[in-house]
Amino acid sequence: MNHSSNEKEPETIEPLRYLSKTEVATVETELLRDYRFGQQQLIEIWGHACAIAITKAFPLSSLSKKQPTLLVVCGPEQNGSIGLVCARHLRMFEYEPTIFYPKRSPQSLHQDFTVQCEKMDIPFLSYLPTEVQLLNDAYNLVIDAILGPETDLKEVKEPYAGMLVTLKQVKIPIVSVDVPSGWDVDEPAKDGINPEVLISLTAPKKCATGFSGKHFLAGRFLPYDIQKKYELNLPEFPGTECVIEL
Amino acid sequence: MLGVRALFGIGLLVTSRGGSVLTHTGACARVASNIYSKDLAHRQACTMANTIKYLGQEEAQHIDEELFNEYSFSVDQLMELAGLSCATAVSKGYPLQSLLKSPPRVLVICGPGNNGGDGLVCARHLKLFGYEPSVLYPKRPNKQLFQNLTTQCEKMDISFLTEMPEADVVDEVYNLVVDAIFGFSFKGAVREPFGDILSQLKKTTVPIASVDIPSGWDVEKGCPDGIQPDMLISLTAPKKAANHFKGRYHFLGGRFVPPALEKKYQLNLPQYPGTDCVYQLN
């Protein structure tokens, strides 16, 4: 799927495209403006697919701790909201998520997602312990939904810089939503966080080229026109699945 | 295990709504498992002792209102999940390779309300699953959400019919019909053009898959000379009309009911398999 071919054979599978930061923004603008998808709708689709990918990477039976606990760390923008929706679906799938959501978006759209989680009785932490051992002991894994491709890395302030330092030290697996937080969208980071699993939403980003961990593509909703226009060459999802392992 | 009072006592903050809950991760995990294990045990007890609840019309309306008002869900979100459940159920009951007619055409008939919206989402997902849906959407609400859903379908090259085909044409062209005309809010007389549409549907021989309520049926009492669908996809929880359903496939969809809401109305929902968004009831 990821091999490129120089010959023009009819049987050749075209390589999957890895998007740049600008391309990601362009595609999303088109989806909202021309295809009239709603933002809440997209976030729901992404969060739901993300949760399904997590159950594939870490089935309930595979978790080592007595309770299927996991920590979902949510940033202030869209990536964080996707994390909230993901946490809600994980709860429906019988996992026990806890959320850390230090800076909440003021947009009512994102506030709704918070209320939905609270009303599912999902606990929210009020601070992230810097004693990494506490995290290692309490949770089976961490879902990194802090920063996404929309983030301007130059603008990243506290508490996120500190949180990333903590995450770099945890011994439990990290699952990153869309892009590993802190990574440049266009290049793999040399000393950023090191997730075990990456769940690319819609299409993978350039920084995921050569990602050595488990890599999933999640979210099955892209109109064929857009797929063709950007030559995404997405793989075929089996049956009615919305997640595929790359 | 630390109880809530003890957590207050040692200075950890526990709020019920709108704020952060706990500060100590270890305590958090213990309280979390306290919350979670109670829910799971309760649900296991319920499904063992009782069967799934069939809702009356008013109850269904109250649950819907609560989902939007108390639980802050948006119509967009729940409609997306509901439509996905419908498309998934259709794929399970009528897999692509089992269809007799090629191409895999499906007629999706959308009514004037939320049931129609569910149909639009369903059509879009059916297209992504490889079916060839066509939509009949004669009465469109003047709300942004429905206009957006329509555009999403049009941009996926889903054709919109201008009028209801005659029953014999439906039988010739389509493999099945998705009935997304009327839902659980339906009351009273059927307004045109839906009367004519329903009489055509009573004459067709291709299977009908109804979204939530077979259209034209009384939401609680059913309808002996109404359409007789082959599949019913109950959303959230089945309604009393489903007691009169005689088709082959009854699916439950709309896997978004918060445990607290389920408990409040004693829905006794079954445990969906894995991450599936549908559960086969029969």
Side-chain angles (χ1 to χ4, degrees):
Chain A
M1 222 174 302
N2 288 340
H3 63 270
S4 57
S5 171
N6 294 319
E7 268 106 295
K8 287 208 189 305
E9 292 174 287
E11 302 287 306
T12 307
I13 298 171
E14 291 299 319
L16 175 64
R17 276 213 61 212
Y18 285 63
L19 300 181
S20 70
K21 188 178 167 102
T22 358
E23 282 169 324
V24 173
T26 311
V27 170
E28 200 171 307
T29 305
E30 250 188 79
L31 285 171
L32 296 171
R33 185 194 62 209
D34 302 336
Y35 288 78
R36 310 297 301 175
F37 279 94
Q39 199 139 35
Q40 246 173 347
Q41 181 189 14
L42 289 179
I43 294 173
E44 184 70 27
I45 290 172
W46 284 323
H48 178 236
C50 215
I52 293 179
I54 292 166
T55 67
K56 287 193 191 289
F58 298 99
L60 276 170
S61 51
S62 74
L63 301 179
S64 53
K65 300 196 166 60
K66 212 168 104 186
Q67 307 296 134
T69 55
L70 36 90
L71 178 63
V72 186
V73 186
C74 299
E77 296 174 317
Q78 185 159 277
N79 202 257
S81 293
I82 296 170
L84 293 175
V85 174
C86 177
R88 213 185 80 228
H89 284 285
L90 285 170
R91 173 89 172 88
M92 298 296 305
F93 298 154
E94 316 269 306
Y95 289 71
E96 292 178 12
T98 295
I99 294 172
F100 179 53
Y101 189 28
K103 276 227 171 84
R104 303 184 180 193
S105 165
Q107 293 182 345
S108 66
L109 176 130
H110 299 282
Q111 284 178 352
D112 285 345
F113 294 130
T114 311
V115 175
Q116 290 158 25
C117 284
E118 287 169 339
K119 292 281 203 162
M120 297 275 291
D121 295 316
I122 296 173
F124 281 67
L125 292 183
S126 62
Y127 78 85
L128 188 69
T130 46
E131 311 96 87
V132 174
Q133 200 50 45
L134 288 175
L135 300 176
N136 294 338
D137 286 345
Y139 306 106
N140 289 278
L141 47 128
V142 178
I143 314 298
D144 154 37
I146 308 172
L147 307 175
E150 69 275 5
T151 307
D152 182 356
L153 284 182
K154 294 190 285 295
E155 292 292 313
V156 175
K157 299 190 185 75
E158 289 305 332
Y160 304 108
M163 279 160 59
L164 290 178
V165 169
T166 305
L167 286 190
K168 268 186 250 187
Q169 298 164 49
V170 293
K171 295 280 189 293
I172 50 179
I174 298 175
V175 179
S176 283
V177 174
D178 212 16
V179 295
S181 295
W183 289 29
D184 183 314
V185 181
D186 296 333
E187 286 181 17
K190 296 184 194 72
D191 56 350
I193 59 164
N194 193 19
E196 208 171 283
V197 176
L198 175 62
I199 303 166
S200 290
L201 301 175
T202 312
K205 323 298 177 281
K206 280 202 156 95
C207 61
T209 327
F211 178 72
S212 56
K214 260 198 176 155
H215 190 187
F216 291 91
L217 177 63
R220 182 181 184 174
F221 67 98
L222 265 190
Y224 297 120
D225 278 0
I226 285 204
Q227 292 187 37
K228 229 180 291 180
K229 179 175 178 181
Y230 293 93
E231 292 173 312
L232 297 181
N233 302 317
L234 297 180
E236 222 176 271
F237 289 91
T240 59
E241 305 253 10
C242 62
V243 173
I244 187 166
E245 191 171 348
L246 294 176
Chain B
M1 216 176 281
L2 288 178
V4 166
R5 282 186 185 280
L7 287 169
F8 268 118
I10 60 176
L12 297 180
L13 197 62
V14 179
T15 61
S16 55
R17 215 52 88 228
S20 311
V21 178
L22 296 161
T23 54
H24 190 283
T25 323
C28 172
R30 286 197 288 278
V31 172
S33 66
N34 205 6
I35 296 169
Y36 288 128
S37 58
K38 267 207 274 236
D39 271 336
L40 185 60
H42 174 86
R43 174 133 53 106
Q44 282 168 342
C46 273
T47 48
M48 285 191 294
N50 307 305
T51 46
I52 186 172
K53 189 184 204 185
Y54 284 56
L55 302 174
Q57 184 165 43
E58 243 181 72
E59 232 180 340
Q61 283 165 330
H62 287 154
I63 290 175
D64 211 48
E65 274 155 25
E66 263 192 68
L67 283 167
F68 297 129
N69 299 331
E70 317 269 304
Y71 289 83
S72 283
F73 283 105
S74 70
V75 182
D76 297 49
Q77 281 174 277
L78 298 189
M79 204 165 266
E80 188 69 23
L81 296 175
L84 177 65
S85 289
C86 292
T88 307
V90 165
S91 327
K92 284 191 190 287
Y94 312 99
L96 276 170
Q97 59 268 36
S98 76
L99 301 182
L100 297 173
K101 301 183 190 85
S102 182
R105 291 204 185 96
V106 174
L107 176 60
V108 183
I109 307 178
C110 299
N114 283 358
N115 202 256
D118 292 337
L120 292 174
V121 176
C122 175
R124 186 171 23 94
H125 285 284
L126 283 175
K127 180 84 186 206
L128 289 162
F129 294 160
Y131 293 80
E132 283 291 337
S134 293
V135 174
L136 176 65
Y137 194 23
K139 284 262 167 356
R140 307 178 184 193
N142 198 11
K143 286 194 209 146
Q144 196 65 62
L145 168 67
F146 298 97
Q147 289 166 358
N148 291 347
L149 291 176
T150 306
T151 305
Q152 291 164 32
C153 282
E154 287 168 338
K155 293 285 228 161
M156 295 274 297
D157 289 319
I158 294 172
S159 59
F160 279 70
L161 305 182
T162 48
E163 54 178 23
M164 175 70 188
E166 297 279 316
D168 54 350
V169 175
V170 173
D171 288 343
E172 198 186 305
V173 173
Y174 301 101
N175 289 278
L176 77 128
V177 176
V178 174
D179 154 36
I181 305 172
F182 300 126
F184 67 81
S185 316
F186 175 69
K187 231 182 251 185
V190 174
R191 276 192 230 136
E192 288 310 320
F194 300 107
D196 174 59
I197 291 173
L198 288 177
S199 37
Q200 294 305 319
L201 287 186
K202 274 187 248 184
K203 292 188 228 159
T204 60
T205 56
V206 292
I208 299 171
S210 285
V211 175
D212 212 21
I213 308 282
S215 295
W217 286 28
D218 180 292
V219 174
E220 293 182 13
K221 301 189 202 119
C223 181
D225 45 81
I227 59 167
Q228 295 299 325
D230 188 43
M231 175 183 280
L232 175 62
I233 307 139
S234 291
L235 298 172
T236 312
K239 277 39 101 194
K240 288 193 163 121
N243 283 317
H244 304 276
F245 172 69
K246 294 187 189 67
R248 285 185 297 165
Y249 303 108
H250 186 191
F251 279 91
L252 177 67
R255 186 179 181 178
F256 46 64
V257 183
L261 188 62
E262 191 191 335
K263 213 185 300 188
K264 177 174 176 178
Y265 288 90
Q266 295 176 301
L267 300 178
N268 298 321
L269 296 177
Q271 196 162 17
Y272 284 79
T275 57
D276 282 11
C277 59
V278 294
Y279 179 92
Q280 191 159 0
L281 287 168
N282 73 347

